[in-house]
Amino acid sequence: MLIPTIHFAGNCNDVIEFYKQTVGAEVQMVAYAKDAPADFGAEIPPNFVMHSEIKIFGTVVALTDGCEKPPTEDNHTFTVIFDTTDEVADVFNKLAEGGKVVEPLSQQFWADLTGMLTDRYGVNWNILTRSMPK
């Protein structure tokens, strides 16, 4: 099984909560530093997320507090395909709140409605319909 992983810098709990609230992500598991064995050997803040998995749009994604800086590279984008333009607009607007719209929602030759954004946590999203314009 291949699971994409996104690294955050100490705010992974906030990210998990954001995706639960905005797009209904289901938490599969969360392992905190405070749950590590006594002989783990690293001094890490207790609420540091060592590893977590959420199910979002039918896919499991791993999230962790395992980096010093939040993701800022443009080397990752989640593409989510919906059946209706209403779903596209709803999810796009929720994820865009506090983030940055890269490509506003528009009709394109490959989709009835599509748009790209970077959410408030630096994660890139491409949201579109599966259907093609007539």
Side-chain angles (χ1 to χ4, degrees):
M1 173 189 306
L2 178 67
I3 300 176
T5 301
I6 304 175
H7 297 257
F8 296 95
N11 62 341
C12 191
N13 275 323
D14 296 336
V15 175
I16 292 168
E17 193 58 35
F18 175 70
Y19 293 142
K20 281 173 45 182
Q21 297 300 316
T22 58
V23 294
E26 300 170 24
V27 176
Q28 305 291 299
M29 63 88 61
V30 180
Y32 294 99
K34 65 184 174 191
D35 300 323
D39 62 351
F40 185 65
E43 290 195 29
I44 301 172
N47 286 330
F48 185 96
V49 175
M50 303 298 290
H51 178 80
S52 70
E53 295 173 14
I54 62 172
K55 190 170 189 177
I56 185 168
F57 302 114
T59 300
V60 175
V61 176
L63 308 173
T64 180
D65 277 325
C67 73
E68 295 176 13
K69 299 184 281 187
T72 57
E73 300 298 321
D74 291 332
N75 65 351
H76 66 280
T77 299
F78 288 120
T79 297
V80 185
I81 302 171
F82 291 98
D83 293 326
T84 70
T85 57
D86 288 342
E87 291 171 302
V88 169
D90 180 54
V91 169
F92 185 90
N93 291 329
K94 287 177 180 175
L95 290 173
E97 188 174 319
K100 175 185 162 197
V101 173
V102 176
E103 294 286 333
L105 289 173
S106 65
Q107 184 179 34
Q108 297 294 334
F109 68 91
W110 64 87
D112 288 329
L113 191 62
T114 183
M116 295 179 72
L117 63 99
T118 302
D119 70 26
R120 66 177 77 170
Y121 296 105
V123 177
N124 301 310
W125 295 89
N126 179 24
I127 313 292
L128 64 141
T129 56
R130 182 176 298 281
S131 58
M132 303 289 276
K134 311 299 182 256

